[in-house]
């Protein structure tokens, strides 16, 4: 359980000591607070906020300004937790200088500890430039939601020897470019295990099994809030969607029946003032 904000060195040491780092996404102040209180090692302000907060069908419409705005709230909620800002679609693909500038915004405006971007060899120039700018940057390979169109949908990756070998090469290139860590999404566990064993830097899994240096999950999945679809790798630890609907319905029902608000939810007039008021109103 995290008691102070971890550093890159702590995360590296956790890998070397085979201690699992646990992280979760958060997009707002309260979730970040709860994540910190639960002892998360890291928080990702994922561009999954497009689906979890804004109701988009994917992450492509998410903007830099939205990511900064939510990262600021998360930082306020979790001052003592390592926070990663997720670079949204077209914030780093267009050019290397734009990638460095946008990564810098996360640090300057939202106070994150690191940024993450999706892709393998094709984003290594950006990773190197961001790292050369003195910023911590994490890679993300496997199922990369921003390019899910190219991948043919939200599908598992690296299931054949040839595609797994490409992922392993991407992972190596990302480390060589200067990333401090790598996230592997929706890939068979044995492929993630090979990547973890080959790389010096920490390799984290979301939907890539247990052979990793840590696990990431999306908060809305863990809480059972997100309803549009449930990936195979998701375990719901709560059913907050139904609990929320039940609470709203109970409030509506009690309001309509007059059971709410009860006496204990109302303010009392100062003794004798009601009588004074009624006589005042008669004048
Ligand atoms: O945006 C996000 O939450 C992510 C995860 C899907 C890994 O990038």
């Amino acid at each position: 359980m995290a008691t102070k904000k971890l550093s890159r060195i702590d995360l590296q040491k956790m890998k070397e000591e085979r201690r699992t780092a646990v992280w979760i996404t958060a997009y707002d102040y309260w979730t970040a607070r709860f994540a910190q209180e639960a002892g998360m090692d890291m928080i990702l302000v994922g561009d999954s906020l497009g689906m979890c907060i804004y109701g988009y069908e994917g992450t492509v419409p998410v903007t830099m300004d939205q990511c900064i705005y939510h990262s600021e709230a998360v930082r306020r909620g979790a001052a003592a937790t390592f926070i990663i800002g997720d670079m949204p679609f077209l914030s780093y693909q267009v050019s290397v200088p734009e990638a460095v500038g946008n990564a810098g915004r996360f640090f300057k405006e939202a106070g994150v500890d690191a940024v993450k971007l999706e892709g393998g060899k094709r984003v290594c120039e950006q990773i190197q430039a961001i790292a050369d700018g003195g910023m911590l940057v994490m890679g993300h390979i496997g199922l990369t939601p921003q390019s899910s169109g190219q991948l043919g949908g939200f599908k598992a990756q690296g299931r054949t020897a040839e595609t797994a070998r490409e992922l392993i090469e991407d992972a190596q290139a990302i480390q060589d470019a200067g990333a401090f860590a790598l996230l592997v999404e929706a890939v068979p566990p044995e492929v993630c295990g090979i990547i973890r064993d080959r790389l010096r830097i920490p390799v984290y899994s979301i939907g890539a099994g247990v052979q990793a240096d840590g696990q990431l999950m999306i908060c809305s999945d863990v809480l059972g809030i997100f309803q549009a679809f449930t990936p195979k790798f998701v375990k719901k630890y709560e059913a907050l969607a139904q609990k929320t609907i039940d609470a709203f319905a109970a409030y509506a029902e009690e309001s309509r029946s007059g059971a709410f608000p009860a006496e204990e939810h109302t303010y009392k007039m100062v003794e004798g003032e009601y009588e004074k008021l009624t006589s005042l109103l008669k004048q």
Side-chain angles (χ1 to χ4, degrees):
M1 193 171 120
T3 49
K4 69 168 180 58
K5 186 158 102 173
L6 298 177
S7 69
R8 183 191 69 79
I9 294 165
D10 296 318
L11 295 166
Q12 186 64 43
K13 201 156 167 247
M14 286 175 84
K15 173 181 177 109
E16 281 149 24
E17 294 173 354
R18 291 259 164 162
R19 283 186 289 127
T20 302
V22 186
W23 44 313
I24 195 160
T25 66
Y27 317 109
D28 61 79
Y29 171 83
W30 283 111
T31 312
R33 254 188 94 145
F34 298 151
Q36 179 166 292
E37 279 180 35
M40 290 294 156
D41 296 304
M42 292 183 278
I43 294 175
L44 171 69
V45 188
D47 64 351
S48 48
L49 64 86
M51 293 140 102
C52 299
I53 300 289
Y54 288 93
Y56 304 148
E57 278 185 13
T59 56
V60 166
V62 175
T63 66
M64 268 302 295
D65 285 345
Q66 286 170 321
C67 289
I68 297 283
Y69 174 78
H70 288 276
S71 299
E72 284 173 347
V74 168
R75 173 47 85 207
R76 285 193 288 274
T81 304
F82 190 98
I83 293 174
I84 301 150
D86 204 9
M87 298 193 67
F89 183 58
L90 290 196
S91 68
Y92 56 94
Q93 291 93 338
V94 177
S95 73
V96 171
E98 255 189 60
V100 176
N102 282 325
R105 280 194 64 191
F106 272 103
F107 289 85
K108 285 170 80 90
E109 296 175 37
V112 303
D113 299 290
V115 291
K116 168 174 92 56
L117 50 80
E118 297 181 6
K121 291 187 197 96
R122 64 187 181 185
V123 294
C124 279
E125 257 195 274
Q126 285 88 333
I127 289 177
Q128 185 167 354
I130 294 168
D132 285 349
M135 296 172 269
L136 286 179
V137 52
M138 178 186 287
H140 177 176
I141 59 169
L143 170 52
T144 44
Q146 290 172 19
S147 43
S148 59
Q150 270 186 342
L151 300 175
F154 292 92
K155 288 192 161 82
Q157 302 295 308
R159 298 178 67 217
T160 64
E162 196 43 51
T163 56
R165 193 177 64 169
E166 277 168 30
L167 284 178
I168 294 163
E169 286 172 7
D170 277 339
Q172 187 66 53
I174 286 168
Q175 172 174 282
D176 295 346
F180 83 100
L182 174 67
L183 177 67
V184 180
E185 178 167 357
V187 161
E190 50 273 54
V191 178
C192 189
I194 293 171
I195 295 173
R196 176 201 57 192
D197 294 344
R198 286 191 171 204
L199 263 52
R200 184 184 67 251
I201 58 174
V203 174
Y204 302 117
S205 152
I206 177 165
V210 77
Q211 298 178 41
D213 298 310
Q215 297 294 328
L216 166 67
M217 285 284 279
I218 298 213
C219 59
S220 326
D221 288 335
V222 171
L223 296 174
I225 294 172
F226 188 71
Q227 310 227 275
F229 60 90
T230 306
K232 179 179 165 67
F233 60 74
V234 164
K235 178 167 178 184
K236 297 184 180 185
Y237 285 82
E238 249 304 344
L240 286 199
Q242 197 51 52
K243 285 193 172 161
T244 305
I245 295 165
D246 291 347
F248 288 172
Y251 158 57
E253 200 278 314
E254 288 197 359
S255 299
R256 289 178 187 128
S257 73
F260 175 83
E263 210 185 322
E264 69 264 30
H265 307 119
T266 55
Y267 300 99
K268 289 196 175 18
M269 279 194 85
V270 173
E271 180 104 28
E273 291 300 308
Y274 179 70
E275 292 70 19
K276 270 195 214 164
L277 174 65
T278 48
S279 73
L280 273 175
L281 292 176
K282 279 187 200 140
Q283 287 167 16

